[in-house]
Amino acid sequence: MTRPQLVVRARRMITPEGERAGAVGIADGVIVAVEPELDGPAFVDLADDEVLLPGLVDTHVHVNDPGRTEWEGFASATRAAAAGGVTTIVDMPLNSVPPTTDVAALDLKRATAFGRTHVDVGFWGGAVPGNLAELPALHEAGVFGFKCFLLHSGVDEFGHLSTGELAPAMAVLARIGALLIVHAEDPDLIERAPDPHGRAYRDFLASRPEEAEHRAIATLVDLARRTGARVHVLHLSSAGALPMIAAARRDGVAITAETCPHYLTLTAEEIADGATQFKCCPPIRDAANQDVLWQGLADGVIDCVVSDHSPCTADLKCSDTGDFGAAWGGIAGLQLGLPAVWTAARRRGVPLTEVVRWMARAPSELAGLAGKGAIEVGRDADLCVFAPDGEFTVDAAELFHRNAVSAYHGRRLTGVVRRTWLRGREVTGAAPHGKLLER
């Protein structure tokens, strides 16, 4: 065994085998030992009320840099991630300008991020109309997979794929062994739904019906079956799609799914008219739907929980008018995912080991990040010190997100992230030491 340079000792830590007491030995940024006791030249001892977790992995983050850095940016996003116990993020290809739809755009994004990240960062590519020939080159350049929309993405520079365009894209990705991640809402059903407008949340909810998710996922299942492509359903909000996903898996279709903290912790019943900070697409649905999403996680039909951090400037939320039709659809939750989910999980009797599996191990497996997501020998020494009984009230102005807009503002949450290490070095915000990752 390599001699540790640092030993972290905890009365409670979460490993792939479950919760235990023990010590983690770190050398050259890697976990070299996980034992009941370890010797070393330097020690960190966790307090009795703290639990040692693996650094979380968030595979659904919109950093918006370059091009819309007033919305977020690599420095602020990764500082917020670290403050929330997240040590690895994978950046979405849209809302930045240019979007990551060819190798030149990927190179620009990497140049923009270089030296500015407080956590490790990987990148998704984009599958859009007209870039079919770019997909193999982006794959070779190290993106972790490809995102597409089945309806308007919200920004004109990132087009959506029609069904006729989706099938050949999936065939190419199947051939090169790349993952397709999909914003799955059916455009025809959305087009026929009532237009979103005004202050009433129920009207906005009616504009994004559950059936739009169901039909889009049915299309994905059919095409995945025909092409052999691996597909992943992003930000699942409608629990009604779970039986279809489960059945497809039993049939051998390579389909996975994620949901987000806001769908697990917030409900339509509590969203006041005009409260546009809660607008996201697909929308936050009712409490009965939320209960079934939690069951979907317990049953393993939903694989992971990631933030879909989609921030914007305060004015784009139209808080002055409260118009859900005009407001930007997205929730900034990168820093708060762990305490938000843990607050709801402990109320439901869900153990912390499960939360860690959904928010660390499973996202790392989705993206193929073999060195991340677990306290285990050979993995990166990415660690989070978490006080599961600590409480705090969210103040949006105190978060590290660039803009002080939060659906969690004023909410009392349980669980406090006290320290975060990236590859054995504590993240303090003083000097970024994150790496840019390739598949």
Side-chain angles (χ1 to χ4, degrees), residues 1-25:
M1 181 186 76
T2 303
R3 179 172 172 78
Q5 299 161 340
L6 173 69
V7 174
V8 181
R9 299 185 291 204
R11 293 177 183 270
R12 299 174 62 193
M13 64 179 178
I14 306 298
T15 73
E17 291 74 38
E19 184 176 313
R20 55 184 280 196
V24 177

Side-chain angles (χ1 to χ4, degrees), residues 190-198 203-204 207 325:
I190 298 291
E191 183 67 27
R192 293 202 294 269
D195 287 336
H197 67 282
D203 291 341
F204 170 64
S207 76

Side-chain angles (χ1 to χ4, degrees), residues 148-175:
C148 75
F149 278 74
L150 304 186
L151 76 173
H152 194 277
S153 69
V155 291
D156 291 337
E157 67 273 5
F158 194 92
H160 66 280
L161 298 180
S162 67
T163 302
E165 293 165 324
L166 182 62
M170 290 176 71
V172 168
L173 297 184
R175 177 173 56 80

Side-chain angles (χ1 to χ4, degrees), residues 398-420:
E398 294 181 352
L399 300 175
F400 287 103
H401 305 155
R402 175 156 292 177
N403 292 283
V405 179
S406 174
Y408 299 98
H409 179 71
R411 188 171 292 260
R412 190 76 176 166
L413 297 181
T414 302
V416 176
V417 174
R418 290 186 177 161
R419 301 176 75 178
T420 301

